[in-house]
Amino acid sequence: MSSPDKSDMTTDDPHPRRTARTALLLLIVLLGLTLDLPTTAPVRATAVSRTVVKEKQEKNVVRTVVGLGDSVPAGSACDCDPYVSLVGDALATRQGTGVATENLAAAGLTTRGLLDQLDDDATRRTLLAADLTIITIGANDFDSDTVTDDDCGPGNDLACYHDDLVRLRANMDAILARVRALRPRRETRVLVTGYWNVFMDGAMARAEGTAYVTNSDSLTRAVNATLAASANAAGARYVDLYTPFKDGGDDTALLAGDGDHPAATGHRLIAHEVLSAIFR
């Protein structure tokens, strides 16, 4: 078979490859205009991003603060606004919104007593509306009358308080489980505070002698460790009050005249630590 003449293969277009590329580019541009991809994609992404940010901001707004616990959040021995109210006021100012504060704390309450309170229908209804629940409880679970006994100190590994510490952990776990169960499908924050001392502190404690100061401090550390462990296990946030109260070495100025409860300065410090924990 004879080979075809090369002259028979020529076309009218001297640059066939360039023409093909031009046609392909034109097709891509036309497709892009038809699908409108370059203009709509960024707009949609921006709209979605704004929606996500707005939903996150609304989710973090605190509308109701509920306080639970003993005489500390109740404001006993202090003619002042307790820290629960101070936290609510500060959040209202920060957010520029109204914040309702419900303080259900009661002087003398133990962890067993708080568990009973959580069975009350009125308490449960209040907690259903809580965006933030703050709990200070546990000090009343321990007897201060025996604190100076030899077996109640660090030298004997707090033997006299061993069973009380075990019960404290069990009760705190139950308390946090009940609080969480009331809002299983809604965002809520739960904070658990520790103590500067479960008994008297400062000048009043020193007046009771070295054994009182040493043993009560050792017990307080054990109580705080128990509260922190329970909070962490439940997904709550633990707020350390021991460190800021002890920062100056002597917390007498932060305490009321009884040496046991916070004064107005103490409540302001607690509110500061709670707010720091919220936004940490």
Side-chain angles (χ1 to χ4, degrees):
M1 181 181 294
S2 60
S3 299
D5 192 340
K6 290 183 180 180
S7 63
D8 294 338
M9 300 174 64
T10 60
T11 65
D12 294 335
D13 188 348
H15 304 290
R17 293 182 180 176
R18 185 182 304 169
T19 301
R21 283 199 303 270
T22 302
L24 179 59
L25 290 172
L26 180 60
L27 178 60
I28 292 172
V29 170
L30 289 174
L31 284 173
L33 292 173
T34 302
L35 295 175
D36 201 23
L37 291 176
T39 57
T40 58
V43 171
R44 288 173 184 167
T46 301
V48 170
S49 298
R50 288 174 179 169
T51 300
V52 170
V53 170
K54 183 177 180 181
E55 289 178 350
K56 185 175 181 179
Q57 290 174 339
E58 291 177 349
K59 193 176 184 180
N60 290 330
V61 169
V62 176
R63 296 178 178 84
T64 302
V65 177
V66 175
L68 296 174
D70 56 28
S71 55
V72 174
S76 297
C78 177
D79 186 16
C80 64
D81 291 330
Y83 81 79
V84 177
S85 297
L86 297 177
V87 168
D89 292 343
L91 287 172
T93 300
R94 181 186 179 101
Q95 297 173 169
T97 64
V99 176
T101 302
E102 299 287 347
N103 196 343
L104 304 181
L109 202 65
T110 63
T111 53
R112 180 65 259 174
L114 181 51
L115 277 170
D116 292 339
Q117 186 182 25
L118 291 174
D119 287 333
D120 179 69
D121 289 340
T123 299
R124 294 170 68 84
R125 283 194 298 270
T126 299
L127 286 169
L128 280 171
D131 300 301
L132 172 65
T133 300
I134 314 169
I135 306 172
T136 302
I137 195 73
N140 293 317
D141 289 25
F142 302 88
D143 184 4
S144 63
D145 291 340
T146 61
V147 68
T148 57
D149 292 353
D150 291 340
D151 63 341
C152 297
N156 203 16
D157 200 24
L158 301 171
C160 76
Y161 292 122
H162 178 268
D163 292 344
D164 296 322
L165 287 165
V166 171
R167 278 191 294 269
L168 174 66
R169 177 58 193 268
N171 287 346
M172 277 305 301
D173 287 350
I175 287 167
L176 294 173
R178 291 191 190 183
V179 170
R180 286 290 191 193
L182 289 171
R183 289 172 58 97
R185 297 176 184 172
R186 297 178 62 186
E187 182 71 17
T188 188
R189 279 171 278 189
V190 179
L191 273 61
V192 176
T193 79
Y195 292 91
W196 52 97
N197 202 305
V198 293
F199 301 141
M200 291 189 299
D201 207 10
M204 295 293 288
R206 290 193 295 272
E208 296 295 320
T210 303
Y212 185 99
V213 172
T214 300
N215 294 1
S216 64
D217 183 75
S218 182
L219 174 61
T220 299
R221 291 171 181 268
V223 168
N224 287 342
T226 302
L227 295 173
S230 182
N232 292 335
R237 178 160 288 178
Y238 174 73
V239 182
D240 171 31
L241 297 184
Y242 183 93
T243 301
F245 265 75
K246 304 291 187 180
D247 185 51
D250 182 2
D251 57 10
T252 301
L254 298 171
L255 303 175
D258 62 3
D260 190 10
H261 299 91
T265 50
H267 279 283
R268 288 196 293 271
L269 178 57
I270 296 172
H272 176 270
E273 296 302 318
V274 168
L275 289 164
S276 298
I278 293 172
F279 298 109
R280 185 166 63 232

